């Protein structure tokens, strides 16, 4: 007589809204431990509606077995954040699709019981096959960078309190004027509305780059002119610009330390020192109230009739790091 297989089954409450197939949000989980290659025992105990659900062990034991054997799924390696959330270690994710799905389900169940809130899951580029599985298990896209995609899961049944993805680009405009009242201007290679217009150098700052450093770098890259930062004179805040993101443009006044221009012909069509009056009288600026106001402020700052904001390097107790506070001069 063939040895009978042992079957252990239980019902578990499933709080995820994306599961289907059983009433009242309950999932049927079945674990089989086969002890014979010729005999398989299949066995269903449908959930009883309206009853309180508890763990149920329905077992048929073989003569050589005294207790059921259940293989529980591995949990994801993770650590707690400062906001009752969880950050999953991307370096230890299971590469098997089935193992990853089981680990996600078991981990989310555990974190819910512990009262955790937001879950952060970074999936590296070489792990991209896991992204559809994470989405199927209820994760949502948060943001992506070269090399990875970040996903999140909000556990509580309340509005999500996780911060949105990065929403702003930060740019600089550099007003450089010499002792001859000549402004450093450029013509960009583009088919935009300002094509053919002489304008001040502009660009985006890099990651982990200070505003004043980005301003001097952009001027150096585009024109070859060495400068030093004097003050920030104004900033413009606009919305739904590149990639539907908001945009901050900080206008900085710089002092030139050199005069010989060497353009970057990949970005810039031309560059030169232009008399201030000639610069302001360009037809393009006649109807551009924003640019006119910026130019007026820069001219006032150059004549010491407007103080602007100076960068003060200060230490923050929040993170213990030095950062720049841009404000009017304070003794």
């Amino acid at each position: 007589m063939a040895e009978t297989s042992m079957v252990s089954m239980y019902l578990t409450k499933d709080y995820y809204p994306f599961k289907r197939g059983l009433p009242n949000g309950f999932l049927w989980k079945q674990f089989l431990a086969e002890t014979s290659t010729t005999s398989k025992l299949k066995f269903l105990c449908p959930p009883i509606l309206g009853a309180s659900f508890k763990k149920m062990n329905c077992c048929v034991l073989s003569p050589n077995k005294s207790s059921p054997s259940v293989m529980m799924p591995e949990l994801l390696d993770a650590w707690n954040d400062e906001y009752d959330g969880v950050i999953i270690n991307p370096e230890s994710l299971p590469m098997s699709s089935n193992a990853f799905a089981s680990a996600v389900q078991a981990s989310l169940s555990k974190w819910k019981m512990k009262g955790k809130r937001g879950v952060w899951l970074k999936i590296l580029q070489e792990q991209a096959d896991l992204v559809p599985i994470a989405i199927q298990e209820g994760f949502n896209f948060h943001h992506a960078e070269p090399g990875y995609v970040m996903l999140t899961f909000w556990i509580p049944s309340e509005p999500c309190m996780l911060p949105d993805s990065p929403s702003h680009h930060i740019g600089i405009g550099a007003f450089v004027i010499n002792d001859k009242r000549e402004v450093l201007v450029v013509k960009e290679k583009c088919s935009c509305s300002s094509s053919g217009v002489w304008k001040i150098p502009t660009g985006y700052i890099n990651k982990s780059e200070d505003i004043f450093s980005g301003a001097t770098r952009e001027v150096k890259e585009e024109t070859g002119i060495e400068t030093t930062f004097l003050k920030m004179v104004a900033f413009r805040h606009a919305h739904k610009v590149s990639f539907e993101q908001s945009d901050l443009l900080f206008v900085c006044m710089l002092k030139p330390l050199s005069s010989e221009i060497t353009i970057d012909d990949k970005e810039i069509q031309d560059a030169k020192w232009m008399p201030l009056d000639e610069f302001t009288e360009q037809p393009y600026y006649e109807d551009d109230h924003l640019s006119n106001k910026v130019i007026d402020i820069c001219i006032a700052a150059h004549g010491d009739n407007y103080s602007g904001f100076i960068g003060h390097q200060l230490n923050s107790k929040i993170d213990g790091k030095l950062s720049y506070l841009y404000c009017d001069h304070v003794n």
Side-chain angles (χ1 to χ4, degrees):
M1 180 176 180
E3 187 179 31
T4 306
S5 301
M6 181 277 291
V7 181
S8 176
M9 293 173 285
Y10 64 96
L11 295 173
T12 58
K13 179 101 170 52
D14 185 11
Y15 61 94
Y16 311 120
F18 44 83
K19 297 293 184 183
R20 297 288 185 270
L22 290 176
N24 292 340
F26 286 85
L27 290 180
W28 179 253
K29 295 187 179 180
Q30 176 173 302
F31 296 87
L32 301 179
E34 296 293 345
T35 58
S36 171
T37 58
T38 58
S39 175
K40 294 184 178 179
L41 178 61
K42 294 186 178 179
F43 177 101
L44 296 177
C45 299
I48 304 171
L49 298 179
S52 60
F53 287 83
K54 298 181 179 179
K55 183 176 179 180
M56 299 173 62
N57 290 312
C58 306
C59 305
V60 177
L61 300 179
S62 69
N64 297 328
K65 299 291 183 180
S66 58
S67 62
S69 176
V70 178
M71 296 295 294
M72 299 301 293
E74 295 288 337
L75 297 176
L76 295 171
D77 181 30
W79 57 87
N80 298 329
D81 65 17
E82 298 178 352
Y83 305 97
D84 292 327
V86 177
I87 301 172
I88 298 170
N89 181 6
E91 304 292 342
S92 63
L93 297 180
M95 293 306 294
S96 161
S97 298
N98 291 336
F100 177 67
S102 297
V104 167
Q105 294 168 10
S107 299
L108 289 173
S109 180
K110 177 185 176 182
W111 294 330
K112 182 183 181 184
M113 288 188 295
K114 287 190 170 184
K116 297 300 179 182
R117 297 162 66 79
V119 181
W120 297 88
L121 171 60
K122 177 191 282 188
I123 296 182
L124 306 178
Q125 184 170 329
E126 57 269 25
Q127 303 165 329
D129 289 346
L130 301 180
V131 172
I133 301 169
I135 296 299
Q136 184 178 347
E137 295 299 331
F139 279 83
N140 293 307
F141 289 112
H142 188 267
H143 70 273
E145 293 285 348
Y148 77 88
V149 59
M150 182 69 76
L151 300 98
T152 60
F153 190 104
W154 182 249
I155 295 177
S157 55
E158 60 186 39
C160 179
M161 299 297 291
L162 294 176
D164 291 334
S165 60
S167 60
H168 283 68
H169 297 288
I170 299 179
I172 58 90
F175 189 84
V176 185
I177 187 168
N178 62 21
D179 294 337
K180 300 176 183 179
R181 288 178 65 83
E182 295 173 329
V183 181
L184 181 63
V185 293
V186 298
K187 276 186 180 180
E188 292 185 340
K189 285 184 175 180
C190 69
S191 56
C192 54
S193 60
S194 61
S195 175
V197 177
W198 291 103
K199 56 185 284 295
I200 63 174
T202 58
Y204 285 114
I205 67 170
N206 296 326
K207 288 184 178 180
S208 303
E209 184 178 43
D210 288 300
I211 292 171
F212 73 90
S213 297
T216 56
R217 175 188 53 77
E218 280 290 341
V219 170
K220 174 66 175 177
E221 289 178 354
E222 293 187 358
T223 68
I225 298 296
E226 297 282 355
T227 59
T228 185
F229 174 83
L230 294 177
K231 62 187 72 175
M232 181 193 301
V233 298
F235 69 91
R236 185 265 293 136
H237 195 192
H239 305 287
K240 292 188 178 298
V241 189
S242 299
F243 307 106
E244 296 296 303
Q245 299 294 321
S246 296
D247 187 280
L248 286 165
L249 177 72
F250 292 90
V251 181
C252 302
M253 174 164 286
L254 309 180
K255 178 181 179 180
L257 302 178
S258 62
S259 59
E260 185 175 349
I261 294 175
T262 305
I263 66 169
D264 175 9
D265 56 10
K266 294 179 180 178
E267 292 186 57
I268 303 302
Q269 178 181 338
D270 201 359
K272 67 178 181 178
W273 292 102
M274 176 179 282
L276 179 59
D277 291 342
E278 183 181 343
F279 170 63
T280 59
E281 291 172 0
Q282 292 181 91
Y284 176 84
Y285 294 120
E286 291 180 359
D287 299 323
D288 188 346
H289 302 297
L290 178 63
S291 295
N292 269 325
K293 188 64 176 178
V294 168
I295 293 171
D296 287 344
I297 294 172
C298 289
I299 294 172
H302 178 64
D304 291 328
N305 296 317
Y306 175 75
S307 58
F309 301 106
I310 300 172
H312 300 269
Q313 191 176 36
L314 301 168
N315 187 279
S316 172
K317 191 174 181 179
I318 296 176
D319 56 13
K321 296 180 181 179
L322 287 172
S323 60
Y324 279 88
L325 176 68
Y326 294 89
C327 61
D328 194 359
H329 181 69
V330 179
N331 293 325

